[in-house]
Amino acid sequence: MSDAAAISEDAVLGGRLRLRQPTSGHRAGHDAILLAAATAARPGHRVVDLGAGVGTAGLALACRIGGVALTLVEREPELARLAQHNARANQLPADVVTLEVGADAAAFAAAGLGPDSVDVVLMNPPFHDAARHRASPDVARATAHMATATTLEVWTHAARRMLKSGGVLTLIWRADGLGEVLAALARGFGSFGVQPVHGQAGRPAIRILVRAVKGGRAPLQIWPGVMLNEAAGVPHADAVRVLEGQGALALAGLGAP
């Protein structure tokens, strides 16, 4: 990413949010926008987008809910610089922290993210199973997409440590990994809400959106799925509205902490 040709500027949320991002590697897509649309927050809440990349999910949430105190955490310095640019260019105040998700508590505290200090965490961890997906030859893209045996444990641990009691974590993962997600969240989280995402009506889900409350005790709730496309392949009108920033998903309707 050493020259201008390596960066594009793209519009999401129906043009409401403009993002500078690398032309290769991991790029903003439906997953980040759906994650933002599934996340509940209120003005004044401290919100952390963990593994933020160029800031897509966190900034999309800030577009929908003004007045949140947003922190974008990203390990790659180049992406963190783009996230800072995107926040400023879209007039969405955000702190940007260059930090590994797996860094220890002292490193997070030094970055202003101490234990029990955050109301909301949203995250889109690498989730492709290396046993079933061939990694991209692009190192940045492979790192952003491929999960390891400890990815969920590391990411949920970081979120749990930062969140206040009653704080909410929202994440997106591949649909066939629901059991892995619930197992990783079993320590410290409860009151789970799950919303499947279907690429096409009548077909199995491809993603799951999961909401979990730190210290929550309510029963698991499974909500009606999001259909990105009709059976004929035509974009579903409800999904189009969400992807264009004109509405939120059921998980966000459960309310902010």
Side-chain angles (χ1 to χ4, degrees), residues 218-244:
L220 167 71
Q221 296 180 335
I222 299 180
W223 290 81
V226 179
M227 302 296 169
L228 296 180
N229 295 286
E230 304 279 8
V234 178
H236 194 291
D238 290 343
V240 170
R241 282 193 289 272
V242 169
L243 294 172
E244 291 186 349

mmCIF file of all heavy atoms in Angstrom, residues 218-244:
data_model
loop_
_atom_site.group_PDB
_atom_site.id
_atom_site.type_symbol
_atom_site.label_atom_id
_atom_site.label_comp_id
_atom_site.label_asym_id
_atom_site.label_seq_id
_atom_site.Cartn_x
_atom_site.Cartn_y
_atom_site.Cartn_z
ATOM 1 N N ALA A 218 -30.689 -14.682 30.717
ATOM 2 C CA ALA A 218 -31.943 -14.969 30.010
ATOM 3 C C ALA A 218 -31.747 -16.131 29.031
ATOM 4 O O ALA A 218 -30.630 -16.412 28.593
ATOM 5 C CB ALA A 218 -32.421 -13.726 29.265
ATOM 6 N N PRO A 219 -32.842 -16.818 28.672
ATOM 7 C CA PRO A 219 -32.738 -17.945 27.727
ATOM 8 C C PRO A 219 -32.289 -17.489 26.342
ATOM 9 O O PRO A 219 -32.492 -16.342 25.941
ATOM 10 C CB PRO A 219 -34.169 -18.506 27.680
ATOM 11 C CG PRO A 219 -34.859 -17.962 28.881
ATOM 12 C CD PRO A 219 -34.216 -16.649 29.176
ATOM 13 N N LEU A 220 -31.707 -18.416 25.615
ATOM 14 C CA LEU A 220 -31.328 -18.196 24.217
ATOM 15 C C LEU A 220 -32.557 -17.848 23.388
ATOM 16 O O LEU A 220 -33.612 -18.476 23.522
ATOM 17 C CB LEU A 220 -30.668 -19.455 23.673
ATOM 18 C CG LEU A 220 -30.461 -19.553 22.152
ATOM 19 C CD1 LEU A 220 -29.375 -18.588 21.709
ATOM 20 C CD2 LEU A 220 -30.089 -20.973 21.754
ATOM 21 N N GLN A 221 -32.425 -16.861 22.504
ATOM 22 C CA GLN A 221 -33.487 -16.507 21.561
ATOM 23 C C GLN A 221 -32.937 -16.595 20.140
ATOM 24 O O GLN A 221 -31.859 -16.068 19.857
ATOM 25 C CB GLN A 221 -33.995 -15.083 21.812
ATOM 26 C CG GLN A 221 -34.666 -14.891 23.159
ATOM 27 C CD GLN A 221 -35.155 -13.466 23.346
ATOM 28 O OE1 GLN A 221 -34.645 -12.527 22.735
ATOM 29 N NE2 GLN A 221 -36.154 -13.291 24.191
ATOM 30 N N ILE A 222 -33.698 -17.255 19.256
ATOM 31 C CA ILE A 222 -33.329 -17.320 17.842
ATOM 32 C C ILE A 222 -34.355 -16.526 17.055
ATOM 33 O O ILE A 222 -35.555 -16.811 17.109
ATOM 34 C CB ILE A 222 -33.249 -18.775 17.352
ATOM 35 C CG1 ILE A 222 -32.172 -19.536 18.148
ATOM 36 C CG2 ILE A 222 -32.928 -18.806 15.854
ATOM 37 C CD1 ILE A 222 -32.006 -20.972 17.752
ATOM 38 N N TRP A 223 -33.886 -15.533 16.317
ATOM 39 C CA TRP A 223 -34.756 -14.586 15.625
ATOM 40 C C TRP A 223 -34.892 -14.943 14.148
ATOM 41 O O TRP A 223 -34.057 -15.653 13.595
ATOM 42 C CB TRP A 223 -34.197 -13.168 15.794
ATOM 43 C CG TRP A 223 -34.352 -12.699 17.206
ATOM 44 C CD1 TRP A 223 -33.547 -13.002 18.266
ATOM 45 C CD2 TRP A 223 -35.422 -11.920 17.720
ATOM 46 N NE1 TRP A 223 -34.042 -12.432 19.415
ATOM 47 C CE2 TRP A 223 -35.186 -11.753 19.115
ATOM 48 C CE3 TRP A 223 -36.542 -11.319 17.155
ATOM 49 C CZ2 TRP A 223 -36.043 -11.029 19.944
ATOM 50 C CZ3 TRP A 223 -37.389 -10.584 17.971
ATOM 51 C CH2 TRP A 223 -37.146 -10.451 19.339
ATOM 52 N N PRO A 224 -35.958 -14.458 13.499
ATOM 53 C CA PRO A 224 -36.122 -14.732 12.062
ATOM 54 C C PRO A 224 -34.890 -14.300 11.270
ATOM 55 O O PRO A 224 -34.245 -13.295 11.585
ATOM 56 C CB PRO A 224 -37.347 -13.893 11.679
ATOM 57 C CG PRO A 224 -38.127 -13.770 12.953
ATOM 58 C CD PRO A 224 -37.097 -13.689 14.045
ATOM 59 N N GLY A 225 -34.581 -15.075 10.246
ATOM 60 C CA GLY A 225 -33.365 -14.844 9.487
ATOM 61 C C GLY A 225 -33.430 -13.633 8.570
ATOM 62 O O GLY A 225 -34.500 -13.157 8.188
ATOM 63 N N VAL A 226 -32.256 -13.159 8.222
ATOM 64 C CA VAL A 226 -32.087 -12.096 7.230
ATOM 65 C C VAL A 226 -31.915 -12.767 5.868
ATOM 66 O O VAL A 226 -31.078 -13.654 5.711
ATOM 67 C CB VAL A 226 -30.834 -11.253 7.537
ATOM 68 C CG1 VAL A 226 -30.654 -10.153 6.489
ATOM 69 C CG2 VAL A 226 -30.903 -10.676 8.939
ATOM 70 N N MET A 227 -32.715 -12.374 4.885
ATOM 71 C CA MET A 227 -32.609 -12.910 3.524
ATOM 72 C C MET A 227 -31.959 -11.854 2.633
ATOM 73 O O MET A 227 -32.548 -10.798 2.398
ATOM 74 C CB MET A 227 -33.992 -13.262 2.969
ATOM 75 C CG MET A 227 -34.767 -14.262 3.802
ATOM 76 S SD MET A 227 -33.967 -15.875 3.852
ATOM 77 C CE MET A 227 -34.927 -16.674 5.165
ATOM 78 N N LEU A 228 -30.756 -12.129 2.175
ATOM 79 C CA LEU A 228 -30.085 -11.155 1.319
ATOM 80 C C LEU A 228 -30.690 -11.120 -0.083
ATOM 81 O O LEU A 228 -30.766 -10.058 -0.706
ATOM 82 C CB LEU A 228 -28.594 -11.475 1.228
ATOM 83 C CG LEU A 228 -27.808 -11.375 2.536
ATOM 84 C CD1 LEU A 228 -26.335 -11.721 2.301
ATOM 85 C CD2 LEU A 228 -27.940 -9.993 3.163
ATOM 86 N N ASN A 229 -31.126 -12.296 -0.564
ATOM 87 C CA ASN A 229 -31.705 -12.383 -1.903
ATOM 88 C C ASN A 229 -32.950 -13.256 -1.892
ATOM 89 O O ASN A 229 -33.052 -14.202 -1.102
ATOM 90 C CB ASN A 229 -30.694 -12.971 -2.890
ATOM 91 C CG ASN A 229 -29.489 -12.087 -3.090
ATOM 92 O OD1 ASN A 229 -29.565 -11.051 -3.743
ATOM 93 N ND2 ASN A 229 -28.358 -12.493 -2.521
ATOM 94 N N GLU A 230 -33.895 -12.934 -2.763
ATOM 95 C CA GLU A 230 -35.064 -13.787 -2.959
ATOM 96 C C GLU A 230 -34.629 -15.108 -3.602
ATOM 97 O O GLU A 230 -33.497 -15.254 -4.065
ATOM 98 C CB GLU A 230 -36.071 -13.085 -3.876
ATOM 99 C CG GLU A 230 -36.512 -11.710 -3.403
ATOM 100 C CD GLU A 230 -37.597 -11.764 -2.342
ATOM 101 O OE1 GLU A 230 -37.904 -12.880 -1.870
ATOM 102 O OE2 GLU A 230 -38.130 -10.705 -1.992
ATOM 103 N N ALA A 231 -35.556 -16.068 -3.649
ATOM 104 C CA ALA A 231 -35.243 -17.368 -4.234
ATOM 105 C C ALA A 231 -34.765 -17.237 -5.678
ATOM 106 O O ALA A 231 -33.927 -18.015 -6.141
ATOM 107 C CB ALA A 231 -36.465 -18.277 -4.160
ATOM 108 N N ALA A 232 -35.272 -16.227 -6.386
ATOM 109 C CA ALA A 232 -34.885 -16.028 -7.782
ATOM 110 C C ALA A 232 -33.551 -15.298 -7.923
ATOM 111 O O ALA A 232 -33.083 -15.049 -9.039
ATOM 112 C CB ALA A 232 -35.976 -15.241 -8.507
ATOM 113 N N GLY A 233 -32.935 -14.931 -6.789
ATOM 114 C CA GLY A 233 -31.654 -14.229 -6.833
ATOM 115 C C GLY A 233 -31.759 -12.722 -6.820
ATOM 116 O O GLY A 233 -30.740 -12.023 -6.834
ATOM 117 N N VAL A 234 -32.981 -12.195 -6.796
ATOM 118 C CA VAL A 234 -33.180 -10.746 -6.739
ATOM 119 C C VAL A 234 -32.933 -10.267 -5.312
ATOM 120 O O VAL A 234 -33.396 -10.902 -4.357
ATOM 121 C CB VAL A 234 -34.619 -10.384 -7.175
ATOM 122 C CG1 VAL A 234 -34.869 -8.890 -7.070
ATOM 123 C CG2 VAL A 234 -34.883 -10.895 -8.585
ATOM 124 N N PRO A 235 -32.214 -9.168 -5.117
ATOM 125 C CA PRO A 235 -31.978 -8.674 -3.752
ATOM 126 C C PRO A 235 -33.289 -8.480 -2.986
ATOM 127 O O PRO A 235 -34.251 -7.931 -3.527
ATOM 128 C CB PRO A 235 -31.256 -7.349 -3.980
ATOM 129 C CG PRO A 235 -30.548 -7.536 -5.283
ATOM 130 C CD PRO A 235 -31.477 -8.363 -6.118
ATOM 131 N N HIS A 236 -33.305 -8.950 -1.751
ATOM 132 C CA HIS A 236 -34.498 -8.824 -0.917
ATOM 133 C C HIS A 236 -34.651 -7.373 -0.471
ATOM 134 O O HIS A 236 -33.687 -6.744 -0.022
ATOM 135 C CB HIS A 236 -34.368 -9.746 0.289
ATOM 136 C CG HIS A 236 -35.640 -9.950 1.038
ATOM 137 N ND1 HIS A 236 -36.247 -8.959 1.780
ATOM 138 C CD2 HIS A 236 -36.439 -11.052 1.163
ATOM 139 C CE1 HIS A 236 -37.343 -9.433 2.333
ATOM 140 N NE2 HIS A 236 -37.489 -10.706 1.960
ATOM 141 N N ALA A 237 -35.856 -6.831 -0.591
ATOM 142 C CA ALA A 237 -36.081 -5.411 -0.300
ATOM 143 C C ALA A 237 -35.687 -5.047 1.133
ATOM 144 O O ALA A 237 -35.107 -3.980 1.370
ATOM 145 C CB ALA A 237 -37.543 -5.050 -0.553
ATOM 146 N N ASP A 238 -35.990 -5.922 2.102
ATOM 147 C CA ASP A 238 -35.645 -5.620 3.495
ATOM 148 C C ASP A 238 -34.132 -5.555 3.682
ATOM 149 O O ASP A 238 -33.618 -4.688 4.405
ATOM 150 C CB ASP A 238 -36.236 -6.676 4.432
ATOM 151 C CG ASP A 238 -37.746 -6.585 4.542
ATOM 152 O OD1 ASP A 238 -38.310 -5.531 4.164
ATOM 153 O OD2 ASP A 238 -38.369 -7.566 4.988
ATOM 154 N N ALA A 239 -33.415 -6.476 3.051
ATOM 155 C CA ALA A 239 -31.958 -6.473 3.158
ATOM 156 C C ALA A 239 -31.368 -5.234 2.502
ATOM 157 O O ALA A 239 -30.424 -4.624 3.023
ATOM 158 C CB ALA A 239 -31.377 -7.730 2.522
ATOM 159 N N VAL A 240 -31.920 -4.842 1.363
ATOM 160 C CA VAL A 240 -31.439 -3.639 0.677
ATOM 161 C C VAL A 240 -31.579 -2.431 1.587
ATOM 162 O O VAL A 240 -30.659 -1.598 1.697
ATOM 163 C CB VAL A 240 -32.191 -3.426 -0.650
ATOM 164 C CG1 VAL A 240 -31.871 -2.053 -1.228
ATOM 165 C CG2 VAL A 240 -31.825 -4.524 -1.646
ATOM 166 N N ARG A 241 -32.707 -2.314 2.272
ATOM 167 C CA ARG A 241 -32.909 -1.175 3.175
ATOM 168 C C ARG A 241 -31.854 -1.153 4.276
ATOM 169 O O ARG A 241 -31.301 -0.094 4.599
ATOM 170 C CB ARG A 241 -34.311 -1.223 3.775
ATOM 171 C CG ARG A 241 -35.410 -0.744 2.834
ATOM 172 C CD ARG A 241 -36.724 -0.520 3.554
ATOM 173 N NE ARG A 241 -37.339 -1.783 3.965
ATOM 174 C CZ ARG A 241 -38.149 -2.500 3.197
ATOM 175 N NH1 ARG A 241 -38.440 -2.081 1.980
ATOM 176 N NH2 ARG A 241 -38.667 -3.626 3.630
ATOM 177 N N VAL A 242 -31.568 -2.314 4.849
ATOM 178 C CA VAL A 242 -30.573 -2.386 5.920
ATOM 179 C C VAL A 242 -29.187 -2.045 5.384
ATOM 180 O O VAL A 242 -28.443 -1.261 5.983
ATOM 181 C CB VAL A 242 -30.581 -3.781 6.576
ATOM 182 C CG1 VAL A 242 -29.377 -3.957 7.490
ATOM 183 C CG2 VAL A 242 -31.868 -3.987 7.360
ATOM 184 N N LEU A 243 -28.821 -2.623 4.243
ATOM 185 C CA LEU A 243 -27.500 -2.393 3.678
ATOM 186 C C LEU A 243 -27.314 -0.948 3.228
ATOM 187 O O LEU A 243 -26.178 -0.459 3.155
ATOM 188 C CB LEU A 243 -27.244 -3.348 2.516
ATOM 189 C CG LEU A 243 -27.152 -4.829 2.911
ATOM 190 C CD1 LEU A 243 -27.103 -5.711 1.668
ATOM 191 C CD2 LEU A 243 -25.942 -5.094 3.801
ATOM 192 N N GLU A 244 -28.401 -0.264 2.958
ATOM 193 C CA GLU A 244 -28.316 1.150 2.593
ATOM 194 C C GLU A 244 -28.465 2.072 3.798
ATOM 195 O O GLU A 244 -28.562 3.289 3.656
ATOM 196 C CB GLU A 244 -29.367 1.483 1.528
ATOM 197 C CG GLU A 244 -29.061 0.829 0.183
ATOM 198 C CD GLU A 244 -30.012 1.258 -0.912
ATOM 199 O OE1 GLU A 244 -31.045 1.909 -0.589
ATOM 200 O OE2 GLU A 244 -29.736 0.945 -2.091
#
